[in-house]
Amino acid sequence: MPDGWSRSLDAGQLADRRTDIDFSIPLAQLARLAPQLAGGAGHAKGRAAFVREQGLAVVDLAVEAAVPLTCQRCLAPMVWPVASRARIAIVADADAAERVAPEFETVLAPGGRITVGELVEEELLLALPIVPMHADRADCGVSAAGERAAEETQKPFAGLAALLKGGAGPDEE
Ligand SMILES: [Zn+2]
């Protein structure tokens, strides 16, 4: 069942049977995430473990992914690593959601039906930065504009050389 993550499933039934679902989902096939991707490669991997807790259908979701994004400072590709773990209560309507204990995230699932893909996509979207940028500014522009960056770093040395030639330093006083 290679695409089990995209099937509509009955969360209550999965919880009562304590079903574990291992998944490997191509990131490009997650419709809401796809427009943010800087490339088609990459998978979200992990496990969705369904249990019944406090009368609720709960999924213990572990997701790992290396998400290709575009740095908004230098517009070069970058990779955002995600390693998330969440306990999500699956509820049928907003009233039920209000009664869920605060230690759970909640997902509204009309009729109690969900797909593992939806749960994983929601976790990934929560884990991604609103404005992705290279964490270290020194990484910016290295891959996309490497030559230009190298030229710019040489300029200060050229200026220093001219200064030394002129001999107009503060040492003359
Ligand atoms: Zn950057």
Side-chain angles (χ1 to χ4, degrees):
M1 198 171 61
D3 59 350
W5 58 268
S6 62
R7 288 180 54 206
S8 173
L9 303 166
D10 183 322
Q13 211 171 67
L14 295 175
D16 290 335
R17 293 177 183 169
R18 302 184 65 84
T19 306
D20 290 348
I21 298 176
D22 290 316
F23 55 83
S24 177
I25 305 173
L27 295 175
Q29 290 191 30
L30 297 172
R32 284 193 295 150
L33 180 68
Q36 297 186 38
L37 299 178
H43 287 72
K45 296 181 183 176
R47 167 174 289 194
F50 290 83
V51 290
R52 178 71 70 180
E53 270 186 47
Q54 301 175 21
L56 298 163
V58 171
V59 56
D60 191 346
L61 183 67
V63 185
E64 282 191 29
V67 184
L69 299 174
T70 301
C71 171
Q72 296 304 300
R73 194 157 50 203
C74 69
L75 301 182
M78 56 177 280
V79 171
W80 189 270
V82 175
S84 100
R85 189 91 193 246
R87 312 206 74 213
I88 305 163
I90 295 158
V91 296
D93 55 54
D95 283 350
E98 279 178 21
R99 294 193 296 271
V100 171
E103 69 256 35
F104 298 111
E105 292 178 23
T106 54
V107 162
L108 284 183
R113 299 192 74 83
I114 48 91
T115 72
V116 171
E118 286 165 358
L119 297 173
V120 169
E121 183 169 44
E122 189 64 31
E123 275 312 298
L124 289 177
L125 290 170
L126 284 173
L128 294 185
I130 294 167
V131 181
M133 282 195 284
H134 286 110
D136 186 343
R137 204 184 178 109
D139 292 338
C140 270
V142 170
S143 50
E147 277 178 39
R148 199 177 63 220
E151 256 172 47
E152 277 169 17
T153 55
Q154 279 168 23
K155 273 181 195 160
F157 295 108
L160 185 65
L163 194 67
L164 292 174
K165 257 187 192 173
D171 288 345
E172 265 187 26
E173 280 175 38

